[in-house]
Amino acid sequence: MTNHHLSRRAFLASAPLALAGCHRDLLSIPPPPPAQEITGPGSLRQHAAQHILLYGCAVNVKLLSTDPAYADLVRTQSSILVAENAMKWGPLRPTPTTFNFDQADALVAFVEQNRLKLRGHNLLWHRALPAWFAAYANRANAEQLMLQHIDQVAGRYAGRMHSWDVVNEAILPSDGRSDGLRNSPWLQLLGPTYIETAFRAARAADPQALLTYNDYGIEGEDPAAQRKRDAVLLLLRRLKTRNVPIDAMGIQSHISAGPRHVYGPGLMRFLADLRELDLQVFLTELDVNDRDLPLKPTGARDEAVAATYRQYLDLVLREPAVRVVLTWGITDRATWLNGEDARADHQPERCLPFDRDYAPTPAFFAMRNSFDRRPAIRAAL
Ligand code: G3I
């Protein structure tokens, strides 16, 4: 090979870079951050923000105050937070007549100090009810109990919340009702109108928060997921027809890696139906369960988890109604998937964008790249 060849090759190799640099100067666009830079312009929050998206995560409020590295990670990556547990009935309601807002207030303070947004999770659910609930609640006092809770909790933080999950997981077609409603304590005590009553009370208590219906098991292409989507749509259409104040659908997005798990056109049709109902869509609890993957090699497991994030987000982010993506936790050190839905071998899951030592996982880069690939969408729906 001659010198001439070498220099020509070197010139050709450098030409696109030189041209790109020139173009950037002209448009005064800052150069992209190196791929390994993961904070500031390299963070999930900033990559999301460039595509009309808020990225955030569910937080463990105790860890926020005891682990500065965790607090730093949460702060640098997120625009929006949600309490994994601290705003549920159980933690908030030590007795039927008292409230304990210590943890919830601590989270609100953290969010406001760091100029983040906050989602409330949740005002009504069949789980995480306090131990006293079953013996205390009855048909005579349940409506008052529910309304007082919504008034006190949503009212306390009025004007400071991005959104509230007003009703969580109220649909379960396998319970056999024609309206698809779950046979929850709230349904048994108050009948099917409890959902509508709760949304109206939430709007009255905090007129500014976006009011959300949140549910799981609607993501896949299997018949059970399709039944669930159909039942959720039935509920949402009924609420809209009755002028119930509802602004968004929360799709939890507890998804799984492995060939059995497919995400595709059924979900996209559902998202378009939500948009036609004038609802925003929030992915509220995204994580990728790796229980169907072999434990070893770890690298292959991480890549398969990342591929599932990529496939799911590339699909769902095509829909302009999707405005928020929260992962359910941010580090593998603190994930519910090591408890409920754990691996059969009881080994720790590797399901989130940061590992147990707070280093970014392949899932982090997959998420970031999916945000970057989001097709341009109009700012207003
Ligand atoms: O409160 C006690 C605490 O005092 C004690 O130290 C601890 C020891 O195990 O138990 C504590 O409570 C547990 C709590 O998590 C905090 O760790 C509860 O038993 C346990 O049931 C609870 O699980 C939570 C679950 O919801 C039920 O509320 C999970 O952390 C949380 O990730 C999970 O989140 C749900 C969403 O709210 C709705 N969508 C599904 C998602 C996963 O199930």
Side-chain angles (χ1 to χ4, degrees), residues 5 17 36 60 82 99 109 119 137 218 283 291 304 313 331 347:
H5 277 117
L17 280 178
Q36 66 274 22
N60 178 318
V82 62
F99 289 79
R119 303 196 73 237
I218 40 195
L283 310 184
R291 62 179 303 176
L313 288 175
T331 156
Q347 293 304 304

Side-chain angles (χ1 to χ4, degrees), residues 296-318:
K296 302 267 178 181
T298 309
R301 183 152 56 114
D302 285 353
E303 288 305 330
V305 166
T308 303
Y309 272 102
R310 181 180 313 121
Q311 197 240 324
Y312 186 73
L313 288 175
D314 281 356
L315 181 78
V316 171
L317 295 183
R318 274 187 234 146

Side-chain angles (χ1 to χ4, degrees), residues 3 9 17 29 35 68 72 135 137 142 144 151 167 169 173 204 226 249 267 273 287 302 310 325 340 353 376:
N3 279 343
R9 193 182 270 181
L17 280 178
I29 299 171
D72 245 21
Q144 181 55 22
D151 180 58
V167 177
E169 303 176 5
Q226 189 54 50
M249 170 76 206
L267 178 58
D273 289 339
D287 53 19
D302 285 353
R310 181 180 313 121
V325 177
E340 289 174 57

Side-chain angles (χ1 to χ4, degrees), residues 93-106:
R93 303 297 304 270
T95 74
T97 52
T98 56
F99 289 79
N100 178 349
F101 287 110
D102 291 354
Q103 284 205 29
D105 284 354

Side-chain angles (χ1 to χ4, degrees), residues 58 60 62 83-85 88 90-91 103 121-122 125 127-129 165 168-169 214-216 252 254 284-285 287 328-329 334-337 340-341:
N60 178 318
K62 278 185 196 151
E84 184 173 356
N85 287 303
K88 295 175 181 173
Q103 284 205 29
H121 174 80
N122 52 57
W125 192 23
R127 294 183 59 194
L129 288 165
D165 287 335
N168 195 38
E169 303 176 5
N214 192 49
D215 215 329
Y216 69 91
Q252 291 187 8
H254 292 294
T284 50
E285 307 185 13
D287 53 19
W328 202 240
T335 168
W336 73 289
L337 287 175
E340 289 174 57
D341 278 351

Side-chain angles (χ1 to χ4, degrees), residues 87 98 135 143 161 231 266:
M87 289 193 178
T98 56
E143 180 158 298
M161 302 298 283

